[in-house]
Amino acid sequence: MARTRRPLIAGNWKMNGLSKEGVALAGELARRMKAGPDRAFDMAVCPPFTLIGAVVQAVSGAGIAVGGQDCHAKPKGAHTGDVSAAMLADLGCSYVIVGHSERRTDHRETDAVVAAKAQAAIEVGLTVILCIGETEAERDAGRTLDVVKRQLDGSLPTSASAERVVIAYEPVWAIGTGRTPTTPEVAEVHARIRALLADRLGRNAAERLRVLYGGSMKPSNARELLVLADVDGGLVGGASLVADDFWAIAEACPK
Ligand code: PGA
């Protein structure tokens, strides 16, 4: 069956980049996108909050979407240091990552908090990149599929739809480590996520919703991951900071 979901390659810059290099990286990606308009993938970059405005300008007209890396669940108010979903949309973002494992760990974000953030983002028209994934201990204990189910049940908001949600399966132990699950392991989890989405949203929506893989995706392993039937793109950390590497990953998307 022909693939109906268009791959999305999203770069998660995390807490990296000052103005000069962030704008240069975004500008280089924009230049490459403009050079060949007929791409087999969608591209998004998620810079730190400080760079969003500049990156939106740098990629203007190139067909590259921009996203935040987090948002607050409330639309506004007394939350020093936080950023609302509406503020991201106001700057020109169309995506926001929620529930990344680094936020779940560093900021003790629970599934309920993640669901509230995702809901807030959808309400202002953003598309949520919702991250889930097991720790190494959970995988070793054979609990990967249970963990993924629990996180999906708990953090997928009630307003979720194929148009407004992208799932990113990111095994915590694969993030930034250079290690990845085997392709059968990735295929198994993605198939399970697709089945869980069908239970929750119906088969039709589940077939349209994109499920990305994330965790040490790089040019040398991108192709074998991106050709898997239920892998609809990648959420790329370290390799998204190097234009050549990020571009090579995007080009590895099946046509
Ligand atoms: P990585 O990060 O590609 O550096 O492993 C992925 C992520 O955390 O989104």
Side-chain angles (χ1 to χ4, degrees):
M1 200 179 77
R3 196 177 269 266
T4 52
R5 298 173 296 270
R6 188 172 161 82
L8 170 66
I9 300 296
N12 174 9
W13 293 5
K14 308 191 181 185
M15 197 171 72
N16 293 294
L18 302 180
S19 318
K20 204 172 157 193
E21 67 249 34
V23 168
L25 174 56
E28 177 58 21
L29 295 171
R31 190 186 65 73
R32 295 183 191 207
M33 281 294 270
K34 284 178 181 165
D38 203 15
R39 302 285 170 205
F41 53 82
D42 292 338
M43 180 174 277
V45 290
C46 301
F49 290 134
T50 49
L51 289 184
I52 288 174
V55 167
V56 166
Q57 287 213 334
V59 301
S60 167
I64 298 176
V66 180
Q69 298 174 12
D70 177 50
C71 66
H72 199 275
K74 295 263 166 57
K76 59 181 178 179
H79 302 287
T80 304
D82 278 310
V83 170
S84 74
M87 290 169 179
L88 296 176
D90 185 45
L91 275 181
C93 286
S94 45
Y95 287 94
V96 62
I97 299 169
V98 297
H100 190 281
S101 66
E102 287 151 16
R103 304 264 343 154
R104 289 178 187 263
T105 305
D106 296 355
H107 300 273
R108 300 206 175 84
E109 291 186 8
T110 61
D111 286 332
V113 166
V114 175
K117 290 182 171 200
Q119 180 79 25
I122 291 169
E123 276 166 18
V124 299
L126 295 176
T127 297
V128 169
I129 301 176
L130 173 60
C131 302
I132 56 176
E134 82 287 359
T135 63
E136 186 157 30
E138 288 164 342
R139 176 162 283 270
D140 290 346
R143 293 178 45 222
T144 297
L145 299 180
D146 292 342
V147 170
V148 161
K149 178 176 179 351
R150 191 198 69 221
Q151 290 182 333
L152 205 57
D153 284 348
S155 48
L156 196 65
T158 48
S159 59
S161 69
E163 288 67 40
R164 287 284 162 261
V165 174
V166 173
I167 303 293
Y169 167 57
E170 299 206 306
V172 178
W173 53 274
I175 295 175
T177 60
R179 298 161 58 207
T180 52
T182 64
T183 49
E185 285 169 345
V186 172
E188 180 189 33
V189 179
H190 278 245
R192 171 76 165 165
I193 291 170
R194 185 89 53 208
L196 292 167
L197 290 168
D199 289 347
R200 178 82 179 259
L201 303 174
R203 211 181 138 68
N204 193 287
E207 284 301 321
R208 287 184 290 118
L209 198 153
R210 293 189 280 198
V211 183
L212 314 184
Y213 170 80
S216 296
M217 190 180 257
K218 48 195 176 215
S220 59
N221 64 18
R223 180 80 189 167
E224 67 191 47
L225 292 160
L226 292 168
V227 295
L228 297 173
D230 282 305
V231 173
D232 310 314
L235 181 56
V236 186
S240 74
L241 297 172
V242 179
D244 281 346
D245 289 352
F246 191 53
W247 192 257
I249 292 171
E251 294 263 85
C253 286
K255 302 262 178 333

